[in-house]
Amino acid sequence: MKQVRRLSPHMVRVSVTGEGLRRMTSPCPDAYVKLFFPLPGQDRPRLPELHDDSWYRTYLAMPDEIRPPMRTYTVRAHRGTEMDIDFVLHGDGGPASRWAHGARPGDTIAILGTGGLHIPPEDSEWQLLIGDESALPAIGAILERLSPGAVAHAFIEVDGPAEEQRFSTLGNVRTYWVHRGDAPHGESVLNAVRLARFPDGTPYAWISGEAGMVKYARRHLVNDRGFAKNAVTFTGYWRLGATQDQMV
Ligand SMILES: Cc1cc2nc3c(=O)[nH]c(=O)nc-3n(C[C@H](O)[C@H](O)[C@H](O)COP(=O)(O)OP(=O)(O)OC[C@H]3O[C@@H](n4cnc5c(N)ncnc54)[C@H](O)[C@@H]3O)c2cc1C
């Protein structure tokens, strides 16, 4: 790993380097990877054989004492042999957040490339992006890759003003920053979306973040706003009270 930069009080950008990254392709702007972290006392994670399709079974079969924690993260940016990954420091003691909190140049993690989900149908005329801070890296990457004039409205829930970010985009973008304050996760952004006036035209929606928020946001768009089911991409990025292992 090459560089660690604090973007805001609860977000850290880790820039990793490695020859293997050159071969990775990012199919969609919200491309994600699987990250493997070292266990306490290790300087690098011990890996299963990753080239085989059955790698996940091999991974699960590894003894607990050596199986590296694996978590999913968005490729915020990719430049040849270098990749930026933005970690939310959520303070709930998960291995990924904990690793990012203490990360230093020279630390080693392993990366496995997988996929992406942001694929607007060809007939969509504008995009609605809804997420919390875990979706901020993907929303940033999506906005930065919009074609000139493409209309997008983004509703993003963060702790407070210090967590807001700026994106450069050629799109015609409206970003609504929703501050959580003391409200439960997801409640404020759901309220903002419920009250929002949307542009005319055929929409495409992309929703990611805490799983409960994602479920209710999708339900609202489909049931109350008439969004076509196949024009809504939704992914629970994490779940309150559950580790990512428990979500599988
Ligand atoms: C496709 C995809 C892309 C993702 N991209 C990103 C990304 O770019 N950046 C990013 O930060 N996350 C991203 N996530 C979410 C991230 O994988 C989860 O937040 C993951 O649980 C973090 O692992 P952990 O080891 O820190 O915590 P875990 O061990 O998984 O969980 C420990 C505890 O922390 C809580 N927790 C987990 N995440 C959060 C959070 N964000 N806020 C508050 N509490 C939390 C859990 O409910 C649990 O109680 C993505 C997820 C997916 C599926």
Side-chain angles (χ1 to χ4, degrees):
M1 189 244 294
K2 190 179 156 194
Q3 199 183 35
V4 187
R5 195 152 63 87
R6 192 62 82 102
L7 300 180
S8 65
H10 293 110
M11 184 76 87
V12 71
R13 174 160 299 163
V14 173
S15 302
V16 293
T17 52
E19 258 313 308
L21 296 179
R22 201 188 290 285
R23 291 191 299 276
M24 273 189 194
T25 50
S26 303
C28 302
D30 64 343
Y32 57 83
V33 286
K34 301 283 181 200
L35 303 181
F36 299 86
F37 300 93
L39 288 167
Q42 293 179 331
D43 60 359
R44 57 183 58 231
R46 222 162 124 182
L47 296 176
E49 184 50 67
L50 294 174
H51 300 292
D52 197 307
D53 276 351
S54 62
W55 70 267
Y56 188 58
R57 237 179 302 141
T58 320
Y59 168 77
L60 291 179
M62 290 172 84
D64 289 349
E65 315 82 75
I66 59 166
R67 188 189 319 113
M70 178 181 76
R71 297 288 183 264
T72 312
Y73 279 80
T74 302
V75 178
R76 179 64 182 87
H78 186 186
R79 303 169 293 276
T81 57
E82 196 166 314
M83 189 176 274
D84 293 340
I85 300 166
D86 292 355
F87 291 80
V88 176
L89 304 178
H90 55 79
D92 279 342
S97 173
R98 204 170 43 232
W99 177 85
H101 190 261
R104 302 276 174 277
D107 289 353
T108 303
I109 53 173
I111 302 182
L112 179 65
T114 45
L117 298 158
H118 178 271
I119 307 174
E122 275 183 16
D123 65 349
S124 47
E125 293 168 284
W126 69 280
Q127 296 189 31
L128 174 63
L129 310 172
I130 303 172
D132 60 18
E133 46 277 84
S134 68
L136 200 42
I139 292 176
I142 291 168
L143 294 179
E144 286 174 6
R145 289 202 223 166
L146 285 178
S147 43
V151 175
H153 286 204
F155 290 80
I156 309 169
E157 182 181 295
V158 291
D159 255 8
E163 298 296 334
E164 294 182 10
Q165 296 184 15
R166 297 280 161 263
F167 309 114
S168 57
T169 176
L170 298 175
N172 175 3
V173 174
R174 273 201 205 166
T175 308
Y176 299 88
W177 292 99
V178 182
H179 300 149
R180 178 178 306 119
D182 294 328
H185 259 281
E187 189 179 279
S188 309
V189 75
L190 281 171
N191 287 338
V193 170
R194 285 188 183 116
L195 293 172
R197 207 165 153 236
F198 293 151
D200 295 332
T202 308
Y204 166 70
W206 180 100
I207 318 166
S208 294
E210 199 284 319
M213 178 279 284
V214 169
K215 181 174 83 177
Y216 290 115
R218 172 182 179 270
R219 202 173 277 177
H220 169 67
L221 296 181
V222 172
N223 294 348
D224 308 332
R225 300 292 197 116
F227 280 50
K229 280 187 181 164
N230 65 359
V232 182
T233 300
F234 60 104
T235 320
Y237 271 11
W238 63 281
R239 190 187 300 277
L240 263 176
T243 69
Q244 199 162 81
D245 298 321
Q246 293 164 328
M247 287 181 74
V248 178

